[in-house]
Amino acid sequence: MAATATVTTSQVYIDVIEDVIVKVRDEFINNAGPGEEVLKELQALWESKMIQAGVLVAPIERSSGTKTNPGAVHDLNVPYEGNEEYETPTAEMLFPPTPLQTPMQTPLPGTVDNSMYNIPTGSSDYTSSGNDADVKGGQPSPYVQQLPPSPWMNQRPSLDVNVAYDDGRDEAGRGTSNQPLTQEFFKAPMGKRKRDDLASQYNNADGYIPQQDGAGDSASGSFEVEVCGGRISINAHHTTSKEKIPADLGRPTSRIPQLDGPIPFDDDMLSTPNIYNYEGVLSEDYNIANTPAPPEIPASTPALVAQNEAANDNEDDDDDDEPLNENDDDDDFDDLDQGEDQDTHHLVLAQFDKVTRTKSRWKCTLKDGIMHINNKDILFNKATGEFDF
Amino acid sequence: MATFELYRRSTIGMCLTETLDEMVQNGTLSPELAIQVLVQFDKSMAEALETQVKSKVSIKGHLHTYRFCDNVWTFMLQDALIKTDDCQENVGRVKIVACDSKLLTQ
């Protein structure tokens, strides 16, 4: 019998879905709506979710006989082969790692940004100086100039992303997630693109990434962007340490340099800045030069850190002082509600016709309801309830 | 015409909401259109329940909490016995949310 009920319920759901789709079809097709394809996708996704939830029986018999095309679901895992222009929707569909795009959007700064980045030495040396690692002069690679903002638009972002990310991973050895964060913050950074190019360039290279900001670090091939970003945040947080720990990607540190802020578990949270100060001497210049740079970025990261610290402190205090009586109001019922997951959260959604009470005896008449009980969906047209309070 | 949004909390409603959310996130669908779809769902669901479903159930249990606010009754039952035409179910806790049926037929 349960099977019968399920099938009936399932059939009702199918009818509802059909009805909705039919009625919204106009909206989708007319008035420059998204179109029939999107509508099909909506239906397919909706049905697949319901099948997953177990409320819809798999072989769907439709009165209309239209078959949904599961393939209509957009697979974001494949690079977007855009037949359209790479507009926002496309871009979004393309990648979560928007960070790559974000930096790309900023026009590759020619010398201007570079100077901002504290390239005291190399501001004028941006001409192609070859791919040599700039051990000495930190001459910015020519890529900076060469890459106009357009290329990233023209290219398949996936290409760039992959390259960039690979490089990032290899070199930074840090979580990719960090990069995006910082990247987003730094609109200014001369350029992810630059980095990408550099990265690609140096991919085959000796693993050494030339610094464009002029710091003559040993094997500190950190991306400028990251460096700057990290530095900025760190600066905001601490006074820049003059330590010379280069932001060496190849550095086998257990600590992963964070671009967006200090590492909580480390005492020396702000030691991360060290990464960015790959230049002892010039770091000072850097800082000064970069002063304009650390805009809102530091604002956000320090806040986060502050919160973390504060939170930690508070917790300690609370534990030490006295139990906060937080649990006083807990009702076992409430707890249960919070702890319940979908399966155990029995729910009846309906309309009521009448609710009455006599002393502690409640009676109600309900209609047109959906019940989700014991992981089953039951629909009813009428219901009577008798409860004792 | 106003609709009861309570059916959006059902399994089918949640599936639709999730689907629409994903599509809006992707940019495939505009939020306004998503809301229109949900409103249409409210109407279709209410109509289907009224016309296509014919079963009757009875619910008995201990009333732990009752609330009436904004013309919506919310009951929390404990140790409820729910009988349908075909079967009966025992549930430890169940929440009943009911809107005023008269509001729809204005």
Side-chain angles (χ1 to χ4, degrees):
Chain A
M1 285 309 157
T4 314
T6 308
V7 169
T8 309
T9 308
S10 178
Q11 190 56 47
V12 173
Y13 285 157
I14 292 171
D15 288 345
V16 168
I17 296 177
E18 280 295 314
D19 192 45
V20 171
I21 298 292
V22 161
K23 298 229 169 100
V24 301
R25 177 163 278 126
D26 277 350
E27 301 292 332
F28 273 70
I29 298 192
N30 306 338
N31 301 332
E36 181 73 22
E37 274 305 312
V38 174
L39 184 63
K40 287 202 169 83
E41 184 180 341
L42 167 66
Q43 185 171 9
L45 262 179
W46 188 4
E47 284 169 355
S48 73
K49 280 189 195 291
M50 295 199 40
I51 292 175
Q52 272 177 10
V55 295
L56 210 62
V57 177
I60 298 179
E61 316 259 336
R62 296 175 204 285
S63 50
S64 60
T66 41
K67 289 282 182 183
T68 50
N69 179 14
V73 175
H74 221 84
D75 184 0
L76 295 177
N77 289 329
V78 301
Y80 180 77
E81 302 300 330
N83 38 7
E84 301 177 347
E85 307 156 40
Y86 16 84
E87 243 106 53
T88 312
T90 318
E92 286 175 4
M93 285 167 70
L94 260 175
F95 273 101
T98 9
L100 272 200
Q101 295 175 358
T102 311
M104 288 183 179
Q105 287 170 0
T106 56
L108 257 202
T111 19
V112 179
D113 285 356
N114 287 330
S115 56
M116 194 163 83
Y117 276 69
N118 68 73
I119 302 179
T121 55
S123 57
S124 58
D125 294 343
Y126 289 18
T127 49
S128 54
S129 51
N131 292 345
D132 293 357
D134 318 324
V135 186
K136 342 164 180 170
Q139 294 180 349
S141 56
Y143 328 116
V144 184
Q145 294 177 335
Q146 291 175 358
L147 302 174
S150 50
W152 68 268
M153 286 180 67
N154 294 334
Q155 295 172 3
R156 282 288 151 234
S158 57
L159 291 183
D160 288 341
V161 174
N162 292 337
V163 167
Y165 269 55
D166 285 346
D167 293 335
R169 292 210 186 99
D170 294 345
E171 302 158 19
R174 62 192 87 172
T176 323
S177 57
N178 284 339
Q179 293 179 2
L181 277 177
T182 37
Q183 294 181 0
E184 287 175 1
F185 291 148
F186 307 141
K187 299 275 174 120
M190 30 195 182
K192 294 306 170 180
R193 285 195 346 125
K194 193 168 30 170
R195 177 168 62 90
D196 294 345
D197 293 335
L198 285 178
S200 51
Q201 292 256 348
Y202 295 103
N203 236 348
N204 339 326
D206 35 0
Y208 183 92
I209 297 181
Q211 290 182 352
Q212 297 171 352
D213 51 12
D217 256 1
S218 56
S220 63
S222 58
F223 296 139
E224 299 144 24
V225 178
E226 297 160 358
V227 173
C228 295
R231 178 166 18 130
I232 292 175
S233 60
I234 292 170
N235 289 341
H237 225 22
H238 310 260
T239 53
T240 341
S241 54
K242 306 302 182 192
E243 288 185 83
K244 227 174 180 186
I245 304 177
D248 189 349
L249 304 176
R251 208 164 35 122
T253 58
S254 57
R255 175 192 315 146
I256 298 176
Q258 285 188 353
L259 304 178
D260 58 351
I263 300 172
F265 53 77
D266 207 343
D267 281 350
D268 221 10
M269 290 164 67
L270 309 188
S271 59
T272 45
N274 301 337
I275 302 171
Y276 308 102
N277 296 330
Y278 36 83
E279 249 188 296
V281 179
L282 290 181
S283 58
E284 297 176 23
D285 294 338
Y286 265 87
N287 299 334
I288 298 172
N290 285 347
T291 322
E296 25 317 325
I297 300 160
S300 52
T301 42
L304 287 176
V305 177
Q307 283 172 10
N308 286 340
E309 288 171 343
N312 292 336
D313 291 342
N314 290 341
E315 282 174 13
D316 291 342
D317 288 345
D318 292 343
D319 289 340
D320 291 341
D321 294 347
E322 62 190 18
L324 276 188
N325 300 336
E326 292 172 350
N327 301 329
D328 280 356
D329 285 334
D330 277 354
D331 194 9
D332 39 347
F333 200 75
D334 290 342
D335 281 346
L336 200 56
D337 276 352
Q338 289 163 12
E340 283 179 358
D341 57 17
Q342 192 64 17
D343 287 350
T344 55
H345 191 75
H346 313 288
L347 187 65
V348 174
L349 302 167
Q351 301 171 30
F352 67 88
D353 281 332
K354 185 192 294 190
V355 174
T356 61
R357 173 192 72 85
T358 303
K359 294 217 163 105
S360 68
R361 190 162 174 80
W362 289 72
K363 291 193 183 176
C364 63
T365 50
L366 308 176
K367 61 182 252 201
D368 299 345
I370 304 179
M371 300 197 294
H372 184 76
I373 305 272
N374 290 338
N375 212 16
K376 288 198 296 205
D377 268 29
I378 303 173
L379 310 180
F380 64 82
N381 189 27
K382 282 206 181 314
T384 56
E386 293 179 10
F387 322 130
D388 288 309
F389 183 63
Chain B
M1 166 179 145
T3 57
F4 280 153
E5 298 184 8
L6 91 157
Y7 296 123
R8 298 185 193 178
R9 295 162 66 172
S10 64
T11 315
I12 179 173
M14 292 303 298
C15 289
L16 177 60
T17 308
E18 284 169 17
T19 305
L20 290 173
D21 277 348
E22 281 174 19
M23 295 178 73
V24 170
Q25 291 277 336
N26 289 345
T28 319
L29 207 58
S30 69
E32 298 82 22
L33 194 51
I35 294 179
Q36 281 181 314
V37 174
L38 280 171
V39 170
Q40 183 55 54
F41 165 77
D42 294 337
K43 296 184 196 166
S44 298
M45 189 75 230
E47 192 187 326
L49 283 173
E50 205 171 315
T51 54
Q52 293 196 26
V53 182
K54 293 285 177 259
S55 56
K56 202 163 160 4
V57 310
S58 95
I59 310 171
K60 287 195 202 315
H62 166 66
L63 186 63
H64 180 273
T65 312
Y66 60 87
R67 176 186 305 131
F68 183 60
C69 181
D70 292 334
N71 282 310
V72 177
W73 275 105
T74 305
F75 301 112
M76 309 276 201
L77 297 193
Q78 281 175 331
D79 301 325
L81 175 67
I82 300 182
K83 282 193 197 173
T84 63
D85 294 335
D86 311 320
C87 60
Q88 67 183 37
E89 308 275 349
N90 278 297
V91 281
R93 294 183 195 281
V94 61
K95 178 176 187 176
I96 301 179
V97 180
C99 297
D100 195 345
S101 61
K102 301 182 200 50
L103 291 182
L104 258 191
T105 59
Q106 285 175 352

